[in-house]
Amino acid sequence: MAEDTWLRIQERFVSVQGEGALVGVPSSFIRVSGCNLRCAWCDTPRTSWAPEGEAVELDALVRWCAAGPRHVVLTGGEPMLFAASAALSQRLRAAGHHLTIETAGTRRCPGIAADLMSISPKLGHSTPWDRARAQAKLALAERHERDRLDLAVLRELTAGFAWQLKFVVRCADAASVRADLDEIEDLLAALEIPAKHRDRVLLMPEGVDAADLEAGYRVAAPLIVERGLRLGLRLHIQLYGNRPGT
Ligand code: SF4
């Protein structure tokens, strides 16, 4: 198969969009396998730390989406790594789908098309120093730290697409939330995000189940609101827990 006619897919399923401005909208999810980052708390390790999946032709993906909801989410892993993501994005939009691309915003993908670029820049706490030390793979953590933010790519994505920014925030205590908020504010300033667009910046607690999230919201909500930023839901985790296929 030619390189741009297939993608390695870790899973695909129909569910509700759990995060961002379109939370609650029924959507087909296509999760590509492969990521250039290695977040310490990655919630889809089968696309990053231990990638798996089968090659699926774009024709089959387009047919599968045609039988599902109008909204489609191309996620990963990192879909922007693959030229075939651009081809798929164009075909899905031509077929009348609303397409969200979920990306960490570190890579360009020439020709990519999207109705919503959902960008999740990775904060300092994502770097897996402890895990890499334990596995004697420090180079992995160093690469992640070097690559997790690319201001030029983030500027291009926020200038070229309808966008939202999503951040995972540590909510162990008020101090950890404040530290993350400061880092987020620095990034928003560097990207020159205008005040009128702060409602496109969604902050979500780290957590693997509804109890985690509820505790996180209680700590973080007042601090996030105080800064004029937006609380982000993680409806899929509240409904189903951190389970594949949801
Ligand atoms: S960018 Fe996403 S898929 Fe990649 S390691 Fe981080 S959380 Fe996992």
Side-chain angles (χ1 to χ4, degrees), residues 123 175-188 227 229:
L123 301 180
S176 63
V177 177
R178 284 201 183 92
D180 286 357
L181 285 169
D182 289 345
E183 206 178 327
I184 291 166
E185 294 281 16
D186 287 347
L187 182 60
L188 298 181
R227 303 270 187 129
L229 295 169

Side-chain angles (χ1 to χ4, degrees), residues 35-39 41-45 47-49 76-78 104 122 144:
C35 188
N36 56 318
L37 300 182
R38 291 293 182 276
C39 298
W41 38 257
C42 178
D43 57 359
T44 54
T47 68
S48 57
W49 288 90
E78 178 49 85
K122 301 302 183 260
H144 177 98

